[in-house]
Amino acid sequence: MFTPVRSRIRTAALALSAIAALALGATATTGAAAAPAAAKQGPTSVAYVEVNNNSMLNVGKYTLANGGGNVFDVAVIFAANINYDTGRKAATLYFNENVQRVLDNAATQIRPLQQKGIKVVLSVLGNHQGAGFANFPSQQAASTFAKRLSDTVAKYGLDGIDFDDEYAEYGNNGTGQPNASSFVYLVSALRANMPGKIISLYNIGPAASRLSYGGVDVSSKFDYAWNPYYGSWQVPGIALPKSKLSPAAVEIGRTSQSTAANLARRTVSEGYGVYLTYNLDGADRSADVSAFTRELYGSDAHYTP
């Protein structure tokens, strides 16, 4: 049995709080340059972390017993929100107190991962307010939101943005229904703003099926796309090479070790280049993680508290 949608605890994100202000245009000091990660052959491993409950630093606690390479290559901060400002009638970027704490403490929560060679990206998720990636009323509105995203990446020294088009509840607060142009405008503007950064797609929601408009297809602008259904195999419906796709998706601690191993084995045998995991917590999950690292990399995983 797979989990059809993430089981999320986002109470703080739903509170009636002030919109987090961004110091637009600021640039973060990223500290020491990333040390080269120990060599690792095999797919890119991704770990989403629910920062309402868990530390981003957990991602860096797993290495391969053979060779010492990082188990995880990409860590995803889950999650910022796309909210709706009813006064300005515009989408805005919102951080609950837990996401804001991670960003404000980038020196201790983000840089240590980057210094190990792990990329850190920020996931952005709908928040029941009617604002989503697929209903901007104009190209300018989409470009304005893209600028907020790229400014955030620059300000906090992040490695990219992940799009998750769930929980928008299109139509709330008088917002529009999904249209064909919005996500194309948004992704095009974001890629232009940050050409060297990661843009990834959690392959769900109206935005995920609206990747082409006016002769422009933004599929190639994504670095990765992955299956959103944990415990299952589903190839994302986006025109990317296998090296950038994760048909496998597991929830650590809930997807059985045998299923995680089978999905990893299939990832390798069918030539896919990414393996997605969700909800890495602070417990020693080396048995769960080893179940897939043995298949992906030929090695158990070692946990360092």
Side-chain angles (χ1 to χ4, degrees), residues 55-65 68-72 113 116 280-287 289-290 300-305:
S55 170
M56 290 301 296
L57 297 178
N58 295 331
V59 181
K61 294 179 178 180
Y62 293 88
T63 54
L64 296 176
N70 297 318
V71 166
F72 298 106
L113 298 178
K116 291 175 183 284
L280 183 67
D281 61 18
D284 178 355
R285 298 291 183 182
S286 55
V289 174
S290 292
D300 283 336
H302 176 71
Y303 172 78
T304 302

Side-chain angles (χ1 to χ4, degrees), residues 207-228:
S209 62
R210 290 166 168 82
L211 302 177
S212 180
Y213 177 76
V216 176
D217 189 312
V218 294
S219 298
S220 64
K221 299 183 187 299
F222 289 95
D223 294 278
Y224 305 111
W226 28 71
N227 170 18

Side-chain angles (χ1 to χ4, degrees), residues 60-97:
K61 294 179 178 180
Y62 293 88
T63 54
L64 296 176
N66 298 339
N70 297 318
V71 166
F72 298 106
D73 304 288
V74 180
V76 185
I77 302 168
F78 189 78
N81 296 104
I82 178 171
N83 278 10
Y84 189 68
D85 184 331
T86 56
R88 293 191 301 114
K89 297 188 182 304
T92 189
L93 184 62
Y94 170 80
F95 310 133
N96 74 17
E97 61 183 4

Side-chain angles (χ1 to χ4, degrees), residues 103-122:
L103 298 175
D104 287 343
N105 293 282
T108 57
Q109 297 297 306
I110 296 172
R111 286 323 151 244
L113 298 178
Q114 293 172 326
Q115 289 163 3
K116 291 175 183 284
I118 299 169
K119 302 292 187 182
V120 180
V121 307
L122 177 67

Side-chain angles (χ1 to χ4, degrees), residues 74-233:
V74 180
V76 185
I77 302 168
F78 189 78
N81 296 104
I82 178 171
N83 278 10
Y84 189 68
D85 184 331
T86 56
R88 293 191 301 114
K89 297 188 182 304
T92 189
L93 184 62
Y94 170 80
F95 310 133
N96 74 17
E97 61 183 4
N98 300 301
V99 173
Q100 189 69 62
R101 186 180 302 115
V102 171
L103 298 175
D104 287 343
N105 293 282
T108 57
Q109 297 297 306
I110 296 172
R111 286 323 151 244
L113 298 178
Q114 293 172 326
Q115 289 163 3
K116 291 175 183 284
I118 299 169
K119 302 292 187 182
V120 180
V121 307
L122 177 67
S123 187
V124 185
L125 176 73
N127 202 14
H128 309 277
Q129 298 184 10
F133 311 128
N135 69 342
F136 291 103
S138 67
Q139 184 172 6
Q140 181 57 50
S143 295
T144 296
F145 192 74
K147 182 67 161 55
R148 290 189 178 129
L149 294 175
S150 58
D151 284 343
T152 297
V153 169
K155 178 179 180 179
Y156 296 107
L158 301 171
D159 295 298
I161 293 292
D162 174 66
F163 287 112
D164 182 348
D165 191 17
E166 297 180 273
Y167 308 115
E169 295 188 19
Y170 290 99
N172 281 0
N173 290 311
T175 57
Q177 291 300 311
N179 61 56
S181 61
S182 287
F183 199 42
V184 172
Y185 289 148
L186 176 62
V187 174
S188 295
L190 184 61
R191 177 51 76 207
N193 292 350
M194 47 180 228
K197 299 290 186 177
I198 292 170
I199 303 177
S200 58
L201 178 65
Y202 189 78
N203 190 49
I204 199 168
S209 62
R210 290 166 168 82
L211 302 177
S212 180
Y213 177 76
V216 176
D217 189 312
V218 294
S219 298
S220 64
K221 299 183 187 299
F222 289 95
D223 294 278
Y224 305 111
W226 28 71
N227 170 18
Y229 299 105
Y230 299 110
S232 77
W233 177 274

